[in-house]
Amino acid sequence: MKLPAITALLVSLFFAATASTASPDLLGPALNGPLRGLQHLVFCTRGSYDDPHWYANIGYYCDDEQRKAYPGNGKPDESRLFRLDLRSGEVTTLLDGQGGTIRDPQLDYDGRTILFSHRPAGSEHFHLFEIGVDGTNLRQLTDGPYDDYEPIHLPDGDLLFVSTRCRRWVNCWTTQVGTIHRSDPDGGHIRAISANTEHDNTPWMLPDGRVLYTRWEYVDRSQVEFHHLWSMNPDGTGQTVYYGNLRPHILMIDAKPIPGTREVLANFSPGHGVNEHAGRATIVSASLGPDDPAAAQTLHQGPLIRDPYPLTEDLFLVARNRQLVLLNRQGQTAVLYTHPGESQVHEPRPVAARPHEPVIPDRVQPASATGLMALADVYEGRNMEGVERGDIKRLLVLESLPKPVNFSGGPDLTSWLGTFTLERVLGTVPVEADGSAFFEVPADRQLFFVALDEHDLSVKRMQSFTAVRPGETLSCVGCHEHRTRTPENRFAANLLALRRPPSRIEPFAGFPDVLDFQRDVQPILDRHCLPCHGYRERRGGVLLGGDLGPEWSHAYFTLLATEQVADGHNGLGNKPPRSLGSSASPLLQKVDGSHHKVAVTPAEWRTLWLWIESGAPFAGSYAALRNEEQQQRAGAAMGEIMRGAFPVINRRCASCHHSTELADGRPKRLPYDPAMREERRPIAGRPTAEHERIVFPNDPIALYSRNVLVNLSRPELSPLLLAPLAPEAGGRGACGPVFESTSDPGYQAILAAIGRGKAIIETEPRYGAEGFRPNRQYLRELQRFAVLPVETPAEAPAPPDVFALDQAYWRKLWPSSGPPP
């Protein structure tokens, strides 16, 4: 149907005013020149969503399934699909969403049918639909309890799109993940072709038949820095960086090839990316390789735009708030249309036929559960200073594991701002004397590697991921090598690893493949470390007891706070050799007999090594992730402790423990905390036995204080009580003493406050405590993913084995042909 006549008149008057006063006439010459055959554009309008992130516009939020993330956030949307006549200005409604949402229109190759994503009114999910450019023949293609969006046509007729059928949640947020899937032309035979644990977005065809897309990923590096352009074949093989994997702090999205060039037009959304992909239209040249900053040319300043689409080498469509805008290489703009409603304009596309790209034959072998990887020379790469030939003997193969739930912007109990995912240890493969390796790996899994020396200590850690499709053989030059390099011919034909069959991954038999600190590491500390670093002794101020603070255990927090473990620190990646993992972790040196004759058994050393190389997690199950209520309970417990303890501390402790005791008035390493958002940094020196290095009262929520000095498993063993208590009364007497006996009113007040905090946080058993049960959201999602029966009661007779549940969930995601041998 047509817009009302008055609206069309206002639009035409706006065109006239804009052309005569503000904007150059970009459209007129184009319609008489390179766009002479173009008559119509299609675009859609829709309301906003309230989440700041570019990806959080589908499904529901993990903590509360009644809270919706899609546009309108559960309220009716004012969304329509329109066709604009560029020559007359006439606007035609092709589809009225009637309270639902329309997004991502894409024309087929003949320019007659529009493929798009639609969430009909009253429904919860986006699915793929088709409609003619005249608004007839509406047809639904996909269905089910998942979101399908950002679709494109493949030259062989199949469809490619992003879907939440991957059944996972954002590792650092509370919404679901979408990855790239493929289907038949009618929406059948849907299969995942990406193993990403995070979002893929906005796939688009390149002229050579590959797919260009945005990949967000972070392996032991910052969760907010790396979302860049990648390419793959339409079957998911050959995944490789296209541009930007070494350029942090920008989201590169909505990329499409510019006709007649080797360039692509993308939207560079600032920082971690903003709502609705808004950013600056940027031309990226492939001729300079994937890393050169000079390859990216920003086209404009001023307001952010969305959804750039290259019409010609020089003219580009963009959406800007309620306007459709024509943009050229010089940054000049001309407004084509202003929408009269409150909805925003999105995804302008030309209604025109276009040639098919070449069809790249499928290389996937569905019957296979594995693929092959060939490495030419592990010594070839960037940031490899100090690594000599012969240093590297093996590769450790690790897998980053997807999450069935998530409730916060940080790792929560998975780690202390280190890894955001659990990392499965698959095993090792040999590296030949010439630096080559050739080995079999499980298909459709997110894999990364650590180069190991003759003592199995880490030399170089991969901080990105790779994957193979079933039956695929994937090769690489080296370790973080320059992407413009290829193996030299004189080496490629003579690689030692290629003279033999591919290696099988050698697992660590008898050891867990996913480590849990309390289950696997704490018993070793109990046997070897507690005599000196327990609650009553605590030599050097180091506490390695396994009791719980408000988040993690005391031992876990202390090991990371005192830099005994070198994890990724949520940094920018590609760290220097021997700066991450086992070779940079003093803990392993302290158990080799040189530290007060502490010597662990080979099995114990291997367990500690496995824990460190798998990201040093605290909780080895995603069932530990705390929902909003559980996180608030921890905060309420600490609030109760503060209210009861600080009056005593102010009177009797503040004269010695004041903010000037430490540089900058606080410990130098504070962990991630939802309330504080502090950057994690190393403590300047270990705490001393004399003053415990607490910071009261000027910094009462310093996390060193809350995670070491308060014992919420056994309040009477809180260092906050033991340090000022006289030795004759069972304390350490490190502070004077302040309390002569446990009957001191001040001691009793603090003990009572910690006891009240313990009662609050133990309203239900915590992770790591006897009787722990997963929260309802974890069980809900495992039921939705068919890991648990739908009728599973929330209160089963016995607590479930959460480690087994996680493993069952991950197995559900493996290729249908089953697990690898």
Side-chain angles (χ1 to χ4, degrees), residues 172 220-224 409-420 552 556 560 567-571 615-616 618 669-673 677-681:
C172 65
D220 297 326
R221 59 178 180 172
S222 170
Q223 83 275 27
V224 297
D412 192 38
L413 300 188
T414 301
S415 77
W416 173 19
L417 204 55
T419 180
F420 278 71
W552 310 278
Y556 180 81
L560 272 73
D567 61 3
H569 283 210
N570 204 39
F618 175 65
R669 180 166 177 164
L670 298 176
Y672 171 86
D673 180 85
R677 304 289 182 186
E678 288 283 1
E679 179 184 1
R680 195 179 98 188
R681 296 170 295 207

mmCIF file of all heavy atoms in Angstrom, residues 172 220-224 409-420 552 556 560 567-571 615-616 618 669-673 677-681:
data_model
loop_
_atom_site.group_PDB
_atom_site.id
_atom_site.type_symbol
_atom_site.label_atom_id
_atom_site.label_comp_id
_atom_site.label_asym_id
_atom_site.label_seq_id
_atom_site.Cartn_x
_atom_site.Cartn_y
_atom_site.Cartn_z
ATOM 1 N N CYS A 172 30.548 -13.439 27.827
ATOM 2 C CA CYS A 172 30.695 -12.296 28.727
ATOM 3 C C CYS A 172 29.441 -11.433 28.744
ATOM 4 O O CYS A 172 29.508 -10.236 29.011
ATOM 5 C CB CYS A 172 31.913 -11.459 28.336
ATOM 6 S SG CYS A 172 31.760 -10.677 26.711
ATOM 7 N N ASP A 220 41.926 -16.372 25.883
ATOM 8 C CA ASP A 220 42.901 -15.860 26.849
ATOM 9 C C ASP A 220 43.326 -14.437 26.517
ATOM 10 O O ASP A 220 44.489 -14.064 26.694
ATOM 11 C CB ASP A 220 44.131 -16.781 26.912
ATOM 12 C CG ASP A 220 43.775 -18.173 27.396
ATOM 13 O OD1 ASP A 220 42.880 -18.285 28.239
ATOM 14 O OD2 ASP A 220 44.377 -19.145 26.918
ATOM 15 N N ARG A 221 42.409 -13.643 26.005
ATOM 16 C CA ARG A 221 42.667 -12.228 25.766
ATOM 17 C C ARG A 221 41.369 -11.453 25.970
ATOM 18 O O ARG A 221 40.331 -12.040 26.251
ATOM 19 C CB ARG A 221 43.244 -11.990 24.368
ATOM 20 C CG ARG A 221 42.375 -12.443 23.211
ATOM 21 C CD ARG A 221 43.029 -12.100 21.874
ATOM 22 N NE ARG A 221 42.210 -12.517 20.745
ATOM 23 C CZ ARG A 221 42.472 -12.200 19.483
ATOM 24 N NH1 ARG A 221 43.528 -11.464 19.190
ATOM 25 N NH2 ARG A 221 41.690 -12.617 18.507
ATOM 26 N N SER A 222 41.424 -10.134 25.810
ATOM 27 C CA SER A 222 40.309 -9.270 26.167
ATOM 28 C C SER A 222 39.018 -9.661 25.457
ATOM 29 O O SER A 222 39.009 -9.906 24.250
ATOM 30 C CB SER A 222 40.657 -7.818 25.829
ATOM 31 O OG SER A 222 39.526 -6.986 25.956
ATOM 32 N N GLN A 223 37.928 -9.633 26.215
ATOM 33 C CA GLN A 223 36.630 -9.991 25.658
ATOM 34 C C GLN A 223 35.997 -8.858 24.864
ATOM 35 O O GLN A 223 34.993 -9.070 24.174
ATOM 36 C CB GLN A 223 35.670 -10.440 26.777
ATOM 37 C CG GLN A 223 34.958 -9.320 27.540
ATOM 38 C CD GLN A 223 35.767 -8.744 28.675
ATOM 39 O OE1 GLN A 223 36.989 -8.762 28.667
ATOM 40 N NE2 GLN A 223 35.074 -8.223 29.688
ATOM 41 N N VAL A 224 36.529 -7.647 24.925
ATOM 42 C CA VAL A 224 35.871 -6.497 24.303
ATOM 43 C C VAL A 224 36.692 -5.877 23.176
ATOM 44 O O VAL A 224 36.368 -4.792 22.707
ATOM 45 C CB VAL A 224 35.548 -5.412 25.363
ATOM 46 C CG1 VAL A 224 34.567 -5.941 26.389
ATOM 47 C CG2 VAL A 224 36.812 -4.913 26.046
ATOM 48 N N GLY A 409 28.997 -9.771 32.781
ATOM 49 C CA GLY A 409 29.975 -9.318 31.807
ATOM 50 C C GLY A 409 31.375 -9.814 32.072
ATOM 51 O O GLY A 409 32.303 -9.474 31.327
ATOM 52 N N GLY A 410 31.570 -10.578 33.118
ATOM 53 C CA GLY A 410 32.891 -11.112 33.444
ATOM 54 C C GLY A 410 32.878 -12.620 33.530
ATOM 55 O O GLY A 410 31.840 -13.261 33.290
ATOM 56 N N PRO A 411 34.006 -13.227 33.874
ATOM 57 C CA PRO A 411 34.058 -14.698 33.952
ATOM 58 C C PRO A 411 33.342 -15.274 35.159
ATOM 59 O O PRO A 411 33.162 -16.482 35.233
ATOM 60 C CB PRO A 411 35.570 -14.981 34.040
ATOM 61 C CG PRO A 411 36.263 -13.709 33.748
ATOM 62 C CD PRO A 411 35.332 -12.606 34.068
ATOM 63 N N ASP A 412 32.957 -14.415 36.131
ATOM 64 C CA ASP A 412 32.318 -14.862 37.355
ATOM 65 C C ASP A 412 33.215 -15.896 38.037
ATOM 66 O O ASP A 412 34.386 -15.627 38.276
ATOM 67 C CB ASP A 412 30.911 -15.378 37.081
ATOM 68 C CG ASP A 412 30.097 -15.572 38.357
ATOM 69 O OD1 ASP A 412 30.234 -14.729 39.265
ATOM 70 O OD2 ASP A 412 29.337 -16.553 38.467
ATOM 71 N N LEU A 413 32.707 -17.074 38.332
ATOM 72 C CA LEU A 413 33.504 -18.066 39.062
ATOM 73 C C LEU A 413 34.361 -18.922 38.148
ATOM 74 O O LEU A 413 35.101 -19.779 38.639
ATOM 75 C CB LEU A 413 32.588 -18.961 39.899
ATOM 76 C CG LEU A 413 31.742 -18.256 40.963
ATOM 77 C CD1 LEU A 413 31.039 -19.287 41.839
ATOM 78 C CD2 LEU A 413 32.576 -17.317 41.818
ATOM 79 N N THR A 414 34.290 -18.723 36.843
ATOM 80 C CA THR A 414 35.165 -19.491 35.954
ATOM 81 C C THR A 414 36.624 -19.137 36.200
ATOM 82 O O THR A 414 37.493 -20.015 36.227
ATOM 83 C CB THR A 414 34.792 -19.245 34.484
ATOM 84 O OG1 THR A 414 33.428 -19.641 34.280
ATOM 85 C CG2 THR A 414 35.687 -20.034 33.552
ATOM 86 N N SER A 415 36.916 -17.850 36.354
ATOM 87 C CA SER A 415 38.286 -17.423 36.632
ATOM 88 C C SER A 415 38.245 -16.031 37.233
ATOM 89 O O SER A 415 37.180 -15.413 37.336
ATOM 90 C CB SER A 415 39.132 -17.418 35.348
ATOM 91 O OG SER A 415 38.825 -16.279 34.551
ATOM 92 N N TRP A 416 39.431 -15.539 37.607
ATOM 93 C CA TRP A 416 39.541 -14.170 38.077
ATOM 94 C C TRP A 416 40.050 -13.318 36.910
ATOM 95 O O TRP A 416 41.220 -13.075 36.748
ATOM 96 C CB TRP A 416 40.483 -14.085 39.282
ATOM 97 C CG TRP A 416 40.784 -12.690 39.721
ATOM 98 C CD1 TRP A 416 40.094 -11.560 39.442
ATOM 99 C CD2 TRP A 416 41.885 -12.289 40.538
ATOM 100 N NE1 TRP A 416 40.680 -10.474 40.019
ATOM 101 C CE2 TRP A 416 41.777 -10.886 40.695
ATOM 102 C CE3 TRP A 416 42.945 -12.965 41.145
ATOM 103 C CZ2 TRP A 416 42.715 -10.148 41.446
ATOM 104 C CZ3 TRP A 416 43.854 -12.226 41.882
ATOM 105 C CH2 TRP A 416 43.736 -10.847 42.033
ATOM 106 N N LEU A 417 39.151 -12.927 36.055
ATOM 107 C CA LEU A 417 39.423 -12.138 34.863
ATOM 108 C C LEU A 417 40.575 -12.717 34.041
ATOM 109 O O LEU A 417 41.414 -12.009 33.501
ATOM 110 C CB LEU A 417 39.714 -10.674 35.202
ATOM 111 C CG LEU A 417 39.440 -9.687 34.065
ATOM 112 C CD1 LEU A 417 38.029 -9.793 33.555
ATOM 113 C CD2 LEU A 417 39.739 -8.268 34.486
ATOM 114 N N GLY A 418 40.591 -14.047 33.959
ATOM 115 C CA GLY A 418 41.505 -14.728 33.055
ATOM 116 C C GLY A 418 40.679 -15.291 31.910
ATOM 117 O O GLY A 418 40.099 -14.555 31.130
ATOM 118 N N THR A 419 40.585 -16.609 31.837
ATOM 119 C CA THR A 419 39.780 -17.213 30.787
ATOM 120 C C THR A 419 38.299 -17.003 31.062
ATOM 121 O O THR A 419 37.839 -17.057 32.206
ATOM 122 C CB THR A 419 40.080 -18.714 30.654
ATOM 123 O OG1 THR A 419 39.264 -19.264 29.620
ATOM 124 C CG2 THR A 419 39.823 -19.465 31.953
ATOM 125 N N PHE A 420 37.534 -16.755 29.992
ATOM 126 C CA PHE A 420 36.087 -16.631 30.098
ATOM 127 C C PHE A 420 35.396 -17.958 29.808
ATOM 128 O O PHE A 420 34.196 -18.085 30.053
ATOM 129 C CB PHE A 420 35.569 -15.573 29.120
ATOM 130 C CG PHE A 420 35.703 -14.167 29.627
ATOM 131 C CD1 PHE A 420 36.948 -13.576 29.728
ATOM 132 C CD2 PHE A 420 34.596 -13.431 30.000
ATOM 133 C CE1 PHE A 420 37.086 -12.274 30.194
ATOM 134 C CE2 PHE A 420 34.720 -12.140 30.472
ATOM 135 C CZ PHE A 420 35.967 -11.553 30.566
ATOM 136 N N TRP A 552 35.672 -16.627 45.258
ATOM 137 C CA TRP A 552 36.492 -17.804 45.050
ATOM 138 C C TRP A 552 37.019 -18.325 46.390
ATOM 139 O O TRP A 552 36.698 -17.795 47.451
ATOM 140 C CB TRP A 552 37.670 -17.452 44.144
ATOM 141 C CG TRP A 552 37.266 -16.733 42.901
ATOM 142 C CD1 TRP A 552 36.791 -17.278 41.736
ATOM 143 C CD2 TRP A 552 37.294 -15.304 42.677
ATOM 144 N NE1 TRP A 552 36.530 -16.294 40.810
ATOM 145 C CE2 TRP A 552 36.826 -15.077 41.358
ATOM 146 C CE3 TRP A 552 37.665 -14.207 43.450
ATOM 147 C CZ2 TRP A 552 36.717 -13.795 40.809
ATOM 148 C CZ3 TRP A 552 37.553 -12.931 42.918
ATOM 149 C CH2 TRP A 552 37.087 -12.728 41.614
ATOM 150 N N TYR A 556 42.813 -19.992 45.718
ATOM 151 C CA TYR A 556 42.748 -19.585 44.310
ATOM 152 C C TYR A 556 43.057 -18.099 44.165
ATOM 153 O O TYR A 556 43.885 -17.703 43.331
ATOM 154 C CB TYR A 556 41.360 -19.888 43.744
ATOM 155 C CG TYR A 556 41.223 -19.493 42.287
ATOM 156 C CD1 TYR A 556 41.700 -20.328 41.288
ATOM 157 C CD2 TYR A 556 40.634 -18.284 41.917
ATOM 158 C CE1 TYR A 556 41.597 -19.969 39.952
ATOM 159 C CE2 TYR A 556 40.527 -17.918 40.586
ATOM 160 C CZ TYR A 556 41.012 -18.754 39.611
ATOM 161 O OH TYR A 556 40.929 -18.387 38.286
ATOM 162 N N LEU A 560 46.671 -16.259 42.314
ATOM 163 C CA LEU A 560 46.645 -15.307 41.214
ATOM 164 C C LEU A 560 47.060 -13.913 41.664
ATOM 165 O O LEU A 560 47.733 -13.188 40.933
ATOM 166 C CB LEU A 560 45.255 -15.284 40.570
ATOM 167 C CG LEU A 560 45.085 -16.329 39.451
ATOM 168 C CD1 LEU A 560 44.977 -17.727 40.012
ATOM 169 C CD2 LEU A 560 43.891 -16.014 38.573
ATOM 170 N N ASP A 567 48.322 -16.256 33.650
ATOM 171 C CA ASP A 567 47.237 -16.490 32.708
ATOM 172 C C ASP A 567 47.166 -15.319 31.736
ATOM 173 O O ASP A 567 48.058 -14.474 31.677
ATOM 174 C CB ASP A 567 45.915 -16.720 33.434
ATOM 175 C CG ASP A 567 45.498 -15.523 34.285
ATOM 176 O OD1 ASP A 567 46.203 -14.493 34.263
ATOM 177 O OD2 ASP A 567 44.470 -15.605 34.974
ATOM 178 N N GLY A 568 46.091 -15.228 30.976
ATOM 179 C CA GLY A 568 46.008 -14.213 29.931
ATOM 180 C C GLY A 568 45.793 -12.798 30.411
ATOM 181 O O GLY A 568 45.974 -11.847 29.644
ATOM 182 N N HIS A 569 45.383 -12.635 31.692
ATOM 183 C CA HIS A 569 45.203 -11.296 32.280
ATOM 184 C C HIS A 569 44.221 -10.435 31.504
ATOM 185 O O HIS A 569 44.235 -9.215 31.640
ATOM 186 C CB HIS A 569 46.541 -10.559 32.365
ATOM 187 C CG HIS A 569 47.404 -11.016 33.481
ATOM 188 N ND1 HIS A 569 48.311 -10.196 34.128
ATOM 189 C CD2 HIS A 569 47.527 -12.228 34.075
ATOM 190 C CE1 HIS A 569 48.942 -10.875 35.065
ATOM 191 N NE2 HIS A 569 48.485 -12.119 35.048
ATOM 192 N N ASN A 570 43.409 -11.029 30.653
ATOM 193 C CA ASN A 570 42.434 -10.255 29.868
ATOM 194 C C ASN A 570 43.122 -9.172 29.036
ATOM 195 O O ASN A 570 42.586 -8.078 28.841
ATOM 196 C CB ASN A 570 41.388 -9.617 30.800
ATOM 197 C CG ASN A 570 40.094 -9.330 30.087
ATOM 198 O OD1 ASN A 570 39.646 -10.113 29.268
ATOM 199 N ND2 ASN A 570 39.483 -8.206 30.397
ATOM 200 N N GLY A 571 44.314 -9.485 28.513
ATOM 201 C CA GLY A 571 45.089 -8.519 27.740
ATOM 202 C C GLY A 571 44.797 -8.601 26.253
ATOM 203 O O GLY A 571 43.764 -9.112 25.824
ATOM 204 N N GLY A 615 44.136 -22.562 31.411
ATOM 205 C CA GLY A 615 43.607 -21.258 31.753
ATOM 206 C C GLY A 615 43.459 -20.984 33.227
ATOM 207 O O GLY A 615 42.904 -19.945 33.603
ATOM 208 N N ALA A 616 43.900 -21.890 34.091
ATOM 209 C CA ALA A 616 43.834 -21.714 35.544
ATOM 210 C C ALA A 616 42.422 -21.367 36.015
ATOM 211 O O ALA A 616 42.202 -20.347 36.670
ATOM 212 C CB ALA A 616 44.832 -20.652 36.008
ATOM 213 N N PHE A 618 38.859 -21.499 38.173
ATOM 214 C CA PHE A 618 38.419 -21.865 39.523
ATOM 215 C C PHE A 618 37.351 -22.951 39.415
ATOM 216 O O PHE A 618 37.565 -24.078 39.826
ATOM 217 C CB PHE A 618 37.889 -20.650 40.277
ATOM 218 C CG PHE A 618 37.310 -21.012 41.620
ATOM 219 C CD1 PHE A 618 38.129 -21.523 42.616
ATOM 220 C CD2 PHE A 618 35.956 -20.870 41.884
ATOM 221 C CE1 PHE A 618 37.606 -21.890 43.861
ATOM 222 C CE2 PHE A 618 35.419 -21.231 43.119
ATOM 223 C CZ PHE A 618 36.247 -21.742 44.109
ATOM 224 N N ARG A 669 46.525 -5.221 42.914
ATOM 225 C CA ARG A 669 45.821 -6.148 42.026
ATOM 226 C C ARG A 669 44.438 -6.407 42.575
ATOM 227 O O ARG A 669 44.279 -7.065 43.585
ATOM 228 C CB ARG A 669 46.592 -7.453 41.868
ATOM 229 C CG ARG A 669 45.889 -8.442 40.947
ATOM 230 C CD ARG A 669 46.826 -9.554 40.551
ATOM 231 N NE ARG A 669 46.148 -10.542 39.742
ATOM 232 C CZ ARG A 669 46.761 -11.450 39.018
ATOM 233 N NH1 ARG A 669 48.062 -11.476 38.975
ATOM 234 N NH2 ARG A 669 46.094 -12.333 38.326
ATOM 235 N N LEU A 670 43.458 -5.872 41.932
ATOM 236 C CA LEU A 670 42.071 -6.100 42.305
ATOM 237 C C LEU A 670 41.409 -6.907 41.211
ATOM 238 O O LEU A 670 41.629 -6.651 40.036
ATOM 239 C CB LEU A 670 41.341 -4.763 42.475
ATOM 240 C CG LEU A 670 41.901 -3.851 43.575
ATOM 241 C CD1 LEU A 670 41.155 -2.536 43.573
ATOM 242 C CD2 LEU A 670 41.788 -4.516 44.927
ATOM 243 N N PRO A 671 40.577 -7.876 41.562
ATOM 244 C CA PRO A 671 39.965 -8.703 40.526
ATOM 245 C C PRO A 671 38.776 -8.012 39.897
ATOM 246 O O PRO A 671 38.336 -6.960 40.327
ATOM 247 C CB PRO A 671 39.514 -9.937 41.310
ATOM 248 C CG PRO A 671 39.162 -9.382 42.641
ATOM 249 C CD PRO A 671 40.175 -8.286 42.893
ATOM 250 N N TYR A 672 38.269 -8.655 38.862
ATOM 251 C CA TYR A 672 37.002 -8.196 38.291
ATOM 252 C C TYR A 672 35.919 -8.268 39.364
ATOM 253 O O TYR A 672 35.830 -9.209 40.114
ATOM 254 C CB TYR A 672 36.601 -9.097 37.118
ATOM 255 C CG TYR A 672 35.215 -8.806 36.630
ATOM 256 C CD1 TYR A 672 35.024 -7.800 35.698
ATOM 257 C CD2 TYR A 672 34.126 -9.482 37.134
ATOM 258 C CE1 TYR A 672 33.749 -7.500 35.265
ATOM 259 C CE2 TYR A 672 32.857 -9.181 36.715
ATOM 260 C CZ TYR A 672 32.672 -8.184 35.770
ATOM 261 O OH TYR A 672 31.419 -7.886 35.348
ATOM 262 N N ASP A 673 35.106 -7.249 39.429
ATOM 263 C CA ASP A 673 33.985 -7.253 40.359
ATOM 264 C C ASP A 673 32.823 -6.533 39.703
ATOM 265 O O ASP A 673 33.002 -5.436 39.180
ATOM 266 C CB ASP A 673 34.363 -6.564 41.659
ATOM 267 C CG ASP A 673 33.200 -6.563 42.646
ATOM 268 O OD1 ASP A 673 33.032 -7.550 43.362
ATOM 269 O OD2 ASP A 673 32.450 -5.574 42.658
ATOM 270 N N ARG A 677 34.153 -2.889 38.714
ATOM 271 C CA ARG A 677 34.700 -2.825 37.366
ATOM 272 C C ARG A 677 36.176 -2.425 37.396
ATOM 273 O O ARG A 677 36.642 -1.633 36.585
ATOM 274 C CB ARG A 677 33.930 -1.828 36.501
ATOM 275 C CG ARG A 677 32.447 -2.112 36.432
ATOM 276 C CD ARG A 677 32.173 -3.348 35.611
ATOM 277 N NE ARG A 677 30.744 -3.598 35.511
ATOM 278 C CZ ARG A 677 30.222 -4.665 34.943
ATOM 279 N NH1 ARG A 677 31.005 -5.578 34.415
ATOM 280 N NH2 ARG A 677 28.929 -4.832 34.894
ATOM 281 N N GLU A 678 36.912 -2.962 38.362
ATOM 282 C CA GLU A 678 38.324 -2.606 38.468
ATOM 283 C C GLU A 678 39.157 -3.454 37.518
ATOM 284 O O GLU A 678 38.884 -4.623 37.312
ATOM 285 C CB GLU A 678 38.828 -2.822 39.902
ATOM 286 C CG GLU A 678 38.312 -1.799 40.905
ATOM 287 C CD GLU A 678 39.032 -0.477 40.789
ATOM 288 O OE1 GLU A 678 39.922 -0.360 39.924
ATOM 289 O OE2 GLU A 678 38.695 0.440 41.557
ATOM 290 N N GLU A 679 40.206 -2.858 36.984
ATOM 291 C CA GLU A 679 41.160 -3.612 36.175
ATOM 292 C C GLU A 679 42.020 -4.450 37.092
ATOM 293 O O GLU A 679 42.428 -4.000 38.155
ATOM 294 C CB GLU A 679 42.047 -2.638 35.389
ATOM 295 C CG GLU A 679 43.084 -3.314 34.525
ATOM 296 C CD GLU A 679 43.982 -2.308 33.847
ATOM 297 O OE1 GLU A 679 43.800 -1.112 34.081
ATOM 298 O OE2 GLU A 679 44.872 -2.737 33.112
ATOM 299 N N ARG A 680 42.273 -5.684 36.684
ATOM 300 C CA ARG A 680 43.104 -6.561 37.500
ATOM 301 C C ARG A 680 44.559 -6.217 37.305
ATOM 302 O O ARG A 680 45.051 -6.141 36.192
ATOM 303 C CB ARG A 680 42.848 -8.019 37.103
ATOM 304 C CG ARG A 680 43.374 -9.000 38.120
ATOM 305 C CD ARG A 680 43.065 -10.393 37.682
ATOM 306 N NE ARG A 680 44.200 -10.979 37.037
ATOM 307 C CZ ARG A 680 44.177 -12.140 36.422
ATOM 308 N NH1 ARG A 680 43.069 -12.794 36.345
ATOM 309 N NH2 ARG A 680 45.250 -12.639 35.870
ATOM 310 N N ARG A 681 45.275 -5.995 38.367
ATOM 311 C CA ARG A 681 46.681 -5.606 38.304
ATOM 312 C C ARG A 681 47.465 -6.361 39.361
ATOM 313 O O ARG A 681 46.895 -6.795 40.366
ATOM 314 C CB ARG A 681 46.813 -4.089 38.526
ATOM 315 C CG ARG A 681 46.152 -3.269 37.447
ATOM 316 C CD ARG A 681 46.092 -1.815 37.833
ATOM 317 N NE ARG A 681 45.243 -1.637 39.000
ATOM 318 C CZ ARG A 681 44.582 -0.508 39.257
ATOM 319 N NH1 ARG A 681 44.683 0.503 38.440
ATOM 320 N NH2 ARG A 681 43.837 -0.398 40.343
#
